[in-house]
Amino acid sequence: MKSKAHLVVGGVFGLAVYLFSSCGENAGTPAPVNTTETTVSGETPTNTDPMSNKGIGPVKTVSLGDISTEMSEKGKALYENKCTACHKWDAKHVGPPLQGVTKRRTPEWVMNMILNPVEMTEKDPVAKELLAQYMAPMANQSLTEEEARNILEYFRSLDK
Amino acid sequence: MRSTGKIALIFAFASVLIGACGEKETNLAAGAGNAADAVYVAPGKYDDFYMFASGGFSGQVSVYGLPSGRLFRVIPVFSQDAEKGYGYSEETKPMLMTSHGFVPWGDAHHPVLSKTGGNADGRWLFINENNTPRIARIDLKTFKTAEIIEIPNSGGNHPSPYCTENTEYLVAGGRFSVPVPDNRDVPISTYKENFNGLISLIKVDDKTGNMSLAVQILAPPFDYDKNRAGKGVSKDWTFFTCYNSEQANTMLEANASQNDKDFILAVNWKKAIEYLEAGKVKDMNTPYCHNVLQEDKHLVVSELLKNQKLLDPKECPGVVYFMPCPKSPHGVDVSPTGEFICAGGKLAAMIPVYSFEKMIKAIDSKAFDGEVNGIPVLKYDAVIAGEVQKPGLGPLHTEFDDQGYGYTSMFLSSEIVKWKLGTWEVVDRIPTYYSIGHLCIPEGDSKNPKGKYVIALNKITKDRYLPTGPELTQSAQLIDISGEKMKLLLDFPTVGEPHYAQACAADLIMKNSTKIYKLEENHHEYVTKTEKESKVVRKGNEVHIYMTCIRSHFSPDNIEGIKVGDVVYWHITNLEQDWDIPHGFAVKGAGNSELLIMPGETSTLRWEPKTPGVYPFYCTDFCSALHQEMQGYIRVSDQSANTPLKWSLNEGQ
Ligand SMILES: [Cu+2]
């Protein structure tokens, strides 16, 4: 009985040889390439001028008016809760100092960096540069567009 | 399962394997190149199905993709899991509370996906625990154990927790009859007088999924082995196999195999609920635990409950009937329409298939063949639809495809046998390696099986993988059933014993997956939502540390003023609000596991430092380029010292 069982096993190993040889024939065929992944997004920017680069993300245009106190107050509360673990206004911390950010960057770029930091630090030349400098990724705090806009308003009020 | 006796049996049936060997060669040889293509999921691509496999005596559930067989996650359920802090953190310890105290291990067997209209709905996964009877609910949004309910008055919660067509109820029974009510001290020799089987109906809240024990139905002291709830025409019923109709209480291996026929117990659960609502039940007062994760508090609350309702079928006619079934049946399964009920007579040479329609007629026309303990036994000829003859040796479990075929696992002859509903003829068979228990067809217990694959869940893998000492991996085998002939595609090892598995289309689940816990919705008693609010509070010899973490620092990260004899609670909130950014936490000498804290979650580690000194703590989950910098110190002083309590972040730099 036992030897019969071993015969079965032998049969399986015998087949394994066959499997290997048939695999070998396939070895020269290149593995299927995932084409959708390599498709270049039309959005991938090359704009390295921070004052015209709008970044990548949901925010395409922001129209700025007079500074709204109501918005900037909401922005202040959000900033203190969601940003200060990594940012200081006037000093380098985990991330860069934010003072003057509205003079250095477009409003769209600031909001896209808040809302879409992972893609920004992967693709946007300015954000990529910052990641290389600070080594700490900008954390996505899952804020809404409205919340990001209020934070921008707060930065504008401080930069005034 | 690993006894030499079982292995000897395999050798004894080697001739059967040889008989099938020719077919195996065809299967493999024809499949070599195609098989690899059929299971290849290119990097970055998704699998078509989720498969949830029980870990058996590991007490956990593991999640695989099909057809690749890739392991995605192990969900801790009935056993502690140090990797995730499950059953170690203060929040999750209560999930493992029972009426016997803290029970950190369990034997998990049957994962069951929740259903709507008889189809998988991707909301919850239920799984039973045999040893200390319990049922768990896993939330498929978070892949976390959300609830565990203990089943009182029960022994060996094996025929469990199959759900009704719309998940109205989960159905459970006891493999071991016990004195009912439970916790009574009686001589074992009074088995026939004092012991009983018990069928439990556990209500599931349609909105929250919360479970509650509705009613328990008294049954004769047999061993209730497996169950399935009906669907379609049979949706008001649930079916159990039972063995040991001899009512033996010793040496069951011989004494419970005396009778030629045991039984299928058919339970009209709807009628049982009507009797419950009419108050035709008695009260029992056995303590049992009910543990629920309160997601907004990130905390499990354990409650000790005391009341159960007992229904005695003698006083409630029409609730239960017996159908005779060949020797010691094991599995019982219901066809997609609900019409056929198919048993695995594991010591029988055929598979009996019962007709639900005939069963109802037999009940109406009182086609009885006596009774057992006041429960009518229906005539075998009056209820049988057909018998699948000579299917193989040791038929256990059956699942169905969408083409009118049943697939039955054969434990002794290690094969899967495909047979046709209605003609009952065997049309195909394929060997498995080895000793298959359950098998799984994606949504194969629903009204609409996705009959593309069958997965064999094997107990023994001797000679299939690189050896790893005395214990070898157990395994699953993926078999293509889309064609006329079954075709083996892939073997993959499993975590623990893949006792049973259920699988469903990936899109039922993936679109609902939780990415983060919103900080605004975190109502943990000790949450810290901003660094500013982080602090250390002393209450006598209890110290509560309100700590935050974000890439890549803790706040505070310098703490002083702790004393030997203090009980320190680290309440750590992960401030991240981005997908897939957990932080870990460990402190030197903690007699406990790490914490693994999800974005927006709060977890607590209890720590009792024994000697003065400075103890480093750090993040254990590689979170960013500066992960290695994610560290801090806590100073512990002698009991008599006057070190003031203080905490800080980025001070004095
Ligand atoms: Cu970390």
Side-chain angles (χ1 to χ4, degrees):
Chain A
M1 277 304 197
K2 267 200 165 178
S3 62
K4 276 187 186 175
H6 282 288
L7 272 178
V8 177
V9 172
V12 175
F13 283 127
L15 282 171
V17 174
Y18 173 79
L19 291 179
F20 272 119
S21 58
S22 78
C23 281
E25 282 162 32
N26 283 339
T29 325
V33 175
N34 179 343
T35 46
T36 52
E37 236 179 40
T38 50
T39 307
V40 176
S41 154
E43 251 191 329
T44 303
T46 48
N47 189 346
T48 51
D49 170 17
M51 275 326 286
S52 65
N53 175 1
K54 296 189 170 187
I56 312 159
V59 182
K60 308 296 176 205
T61 49
V62 178
S63 49
L64 301 174
D66 291 342
I67 292 167
S68 149
T69 317
E70 193 197 336
M71 283 166 71
S72 90
E73 266 165 19
K74 283 182 187 161
K76 179 173 194 273
L78 284 162
Y79 171 78
E80 279 166 4
N81 286 342
K82 299 288 184 182
C83 311
T84 51
C86 297
H87 290 282
K88 291 186 172 182
W89 182 247
D90 51 7
K92 188 178 168 227
H93 193 35
V94 177
L98 293 172
Q99 191 166 44
V101 68
T102 57
K103 317 258 191 229
R104 295 196 296 273
R105 308 268 186 266
T106 64
E108 294 83 2
W109 191 98
V110 173
M111 285 178 66
N112 282 328
M113 191 64 182
I114 294 170
L115 294 169
N116 190 32
V118 175
E119 197 181 5
M120 284 286 282
T121 48
E122 274 170 9
K123 295 182 183 164
D124 180 86
V126 177
K128 267 162 84 171
E129 183 69 20
L130 282 169
L131 178 63
Q133 191 185 339
Y134 282 85
M135 299 303 286
M138 167 85 177
N140 184 344
Q141 292 291 76
S142 284
L143 299 177
T144 63
E145 256 185 76
E146 190 189 339
E147 288 171 326
R149 180 67 186 81
N150 290 340
I151 291 172
L152 174 74
E153 202 68 355
Y154 175 56
F155 291 169
R156 288 180 71 212
S157 77
L158 291 179
D159 275 340
K160 198 166 51 171
Chain B
M1 281 303 156
R2 301 306 188 74
S3 72
T4 46
K6 289 280 159 54
I7 290 167
L9 275 174
I10 291 165
F11 282 124
F13 291 103
S15 52
V16 177
L17 292 177
I18 291 214
C21 196
E23 281 177 29
K24 178 179 63 199
E25 280 182 39
T26 341
N27 276 317
L28 274 180
N34 300 345
D37 284 349
V39 302
Y40 183 67
V41 177
K45 294 291 180 189
Y46 295 131
D47 279 281
D48 297 330
F49 298 96
Y50 281 98
M51 182 176 95
F52 300 91
S54 132
F57 45 81
S58 86
Q60 318 294 45
V61 164
S62 42
V63 186
Y64 301 85
L66 298 177
S68 71
R70 296 181 296 187
L71 173 68
F72 300 144
R73 185 156 188 86
V74 176
I75 305 171
V77 186
F78 297 114
S79 300
Q80 285 174 302
D81 182 352
E83 179 199 13
K84 302 178 182 74
Y86 178 86
Y88 290 96
S89 72
E90 294 306 300
E91 288 80 2
T92 56
K93 275 183 196 169
M95 194 58 99
L96 301 177
M97 281 307 290
T98 74
S99 62
H100 306 271
F102 182 71
V103 177
W105 170 85
D107 186 14
H109 273 215
H110 309 120
V112 173
L113 289 161
S114 59
K115 308 264 185 320
T116 300
N119 292 315
D121 60 20
R123 295 199 287 171
W124 306 303
L125 182 80
F126 300 95
I127 187 161
N128 64 319
E129 203 268 275
N130 274 324
N131 182 51
T132 304
R134 288 176 276 179
I135 293 175
R137 178 173 58 88
I138 294 160
D139 187 332
L140 292 179
K141 289 201 297 292
T142 56
F143 284 59
K144 277 195 181 191
T145 301
E147 185 177 4
I148 291 181
I149 190 167
E150 193 179 354
I151 313 294
N153 308 307
S154 177
N157 178 43
H158 190 260
S160 170
Y162 293 91
C163 66
T164 56
E165 192 172 273
N166 292 298
T167 322
E168 294 99 335
Y169 291 91
L170 307 176
V171 189
R175 205 179 113 210
F176 313 126
S177 283
V178 291
V180 175
D182 207 351
N183 303 342
R184 277 189 305 138
D185 171 14
V186 299
I188 298 166
S189 61
T190 62
Y191 183 90
K192 287 178 188 169
E193 300 87 76
N194 281 325
F195 288 49
N196 270 101
L198 205 63
I199 307 304
S200 302
L201 297 178
I202 293 99
K203 187 165 176 48
V204 178
D205 184 276
D206 185 50
K207 293 233 154 47
T208 60
N210 283 345
M211 301 182 283
S212 55
L213 185 58
V215 64
Q216 300 194 296
I217 303 165
L218 212 54
F222 303 161
D223 288 33
Y224 297 84
D225 206 14
K226 263 309 298 299
N227 81 308
R228 281 281 181 184
K231 53 182 170 279
V233 288
S234 57
K235 67 180 165 48
D236 297 345
W237 291 74
T238 177
F239 306 92
F240 286 82
T241 49
C242 46
Y243 61 98
N244 193 23
S245 56
E246 297 83 354
Q247 306 187 22
N249 58 276
T250 178
M251 188 63 191
L252 266 66
E253 186 176 15
N255 294 331
S257 310
Q258 299 297 308
N259 295 349
D260 279 342
K261 283 206 162 63
D262 289 292
F263 298 106
I264 303 261
L265 181 72
V267 180
N268 185 332
W269 63 262
K270 205 137 205 192
K271 197 151 235 169
I273 296 300
E274 284 166 22
Y275 280 118
L276 168 72
E277 283 164 358
K280 295 204 85 174
V281 288
K282 285 190 208 111
D283 286 310
M284 291 189 291
N285 295 294
T286 310
Y288 67 106
C289 274
H290 182 209
N291 315 323
V292 183
L293 172 66
Q294 303 191 350
E295 203 174 274
D296 63 331
K297 297 195 172 76
H298 299 275
L299 176 74
V300 178
V301 175
S302 175
E303 211 183 349
L304 188 70
L305 302 174
K306 280 217 164 99
N307 188 263
Q308 304 95 49
K309 304 293 180 193
L310 180 69
L311 184 156
D312 185 344
K314 281 196 220 91
E315 291 152 23
C316 300
V319 173
V320 291
Y321 296 90
F322 279 121
M323 299 196 282
C325 184
K327 266 190 181 233
S328 304
H330 184 60
V332 56
D333 299 286
V334 180
S335 67
T337 61
E339 167 57 16
F340 296 113
I341 300 115
C342 154
K346 68 185 180 214
L347 304 180
M350 54 89 171
I351 304 165
V353 185
Y354 302 83
S355 155
F356 180 74
E357 197 187 328
K358 289 178 85 172
M359 185 192 93
I360 294 299
K361 277 189 190 142
I363 293 170
D364 290 347
S365 64
K366 297 199 165 29
F368 299 152
D369 192 3
E371 56 172 52
V372 177
N373 291 24
I375 297 171
V377 179
L378 302 172
K379 283 191 174 135
Y380 183 74
D381 290 339
V383 291
I384 199 77
E387 294 171 343
V388 180
Q389 293 296 340
K390 295 208 187 327
L393 296 170
L396 292 187
H397 302 284
T398 302
E399 296 234 332
F400 300 89
D401 67 11
D402 47 354
Q403 305 291 318
Y405 293 99
Y407 298 75
T408 304
S409 57
M410 302 287 158
F411 179 78
L412 287 179
S413 53
S414 287
E415 59 186 328
I416 292 174
V417 170
K418 177 182 177 183
W419 51 272
K420 194 162 174 54
L421 279 160
T423 69
W424 323 116
E425 59 185 328
V426 172
V427 297
D428 192 21
R429 59 181 68 235
I430 188 167
T432 57
Y433 305 88
Y434 304 96
S435 300
I436 178 176
H438 278 268
L439 73 182
C440 160
I441 288 176
E443 301 175 45
D445 71 334
S446 77
K447 280 185 177 170
N448 291 292
K450 306 278 182 287
K452 197 172 178 186
Y453 307 109
V454 63
I455 298 98
L457 302 160
N458 300 313
K459 319 279 187 199
I460 292 175
T461 59
K462 183 170 46 71
D463 78 27
R464 295 294 287 182
Y465 297 96
L466 290 174
T468 53
E471 202 197 8
L472 305 177
T473 186
Q474 300 173 59
S475 87
Q477 290 185 285
L478 184 76
I479 294 161
D480 183 345
I481 56 169
S482 59
E484 203 175 311
K485 299 287 288 177
M486 290 182 274
K487 202 165 88 177
L488 176 63
L489 300 177
L490 180 72
D491 277 23
F492 58 96
T494 57
V495 178
E497 188 216 337
H499 187 90
Y500 177 47
Q502 287 204 340
C504 70
D507 59 9
L508 281 178
I509 293 174
M510 63 184 292
K511 61 177 190 283
N512 298 324
S513 208
T514 297
K515 294 190 166 73
I516 60 162
Y517 296 103
K518 288 188 181 151
L519 265 181
E520 310 89 81
E521 293 168 10
N522 182 331
H523 298 296
H524 192 291
E525 190 184 349
Y526 295 94
V527 66
T528 314
K529 293 194 184 182
T530 64
E531 285 193 353
K532 253 191 333 205
E533 295 163 67
S534 61
K535 62 187 174 189
V536 181
V537 176
R538 172 180 287 283
K539 285 183 193 160
N541 75 330
E542 256 184 36
V543 178
H544 294 270
I545 301 175
Y546 293 71
M547 183 176 266
T548 64
C549 56
I550 192 163
R551 277 163 290 175
S552 289
H553 58 277
F554 293 101
S555 174
D557 65 0
N558 281 201
I559 300 168
E560 299 195 355
I562 309 299
K563 292 176 185 173
V564 171
D566 283 346
V567 180
V568 180
Y569 293 92
W570 302 79
H571 307 287
I572 307 180
T573 301
N574 181 349
L575 295 181
E576 307 277 358
Q577 292 287 273
D578 200 358
W579 197 16
D580 199 23
I581 313 286
H583 289 286
F585 175 82
V587 56
K588 184 178 172 181
N592 210 331
S593 78
E594 68 159 351
L595 293 176
L596 192 61
I597 314 146
M598 298 304 124
E601 188 183 35
T602 304
S603 293
T604 302
L605 190 81
R606 185 188 151 113
W607 183 56
E608 292 174 78
K610 303 283 190 302
T611 48
V614 175
Y615 294 78
F617 57 85
Y618 69 105
C619 172
T620 51
D621 189 353
F622 208 106
C623 55
S624 75
L626 299 169
H627 162 75
Q628 290 300 86
E629 283 74 6
M630 193 162 173
Q631 63 180 53
Y633 293 104
I634 185 164
R635 177 180 166 198
V636 177
S637 303
D638 193 72
Q639 236 155 352
S640 58
N642 290 321
T643 320
L645 189 66
K646 63 177 204 182
W647 62 93
S648 62
L649 169 71
N650 204 28
E651 205 175 84
Q653 297 293 312

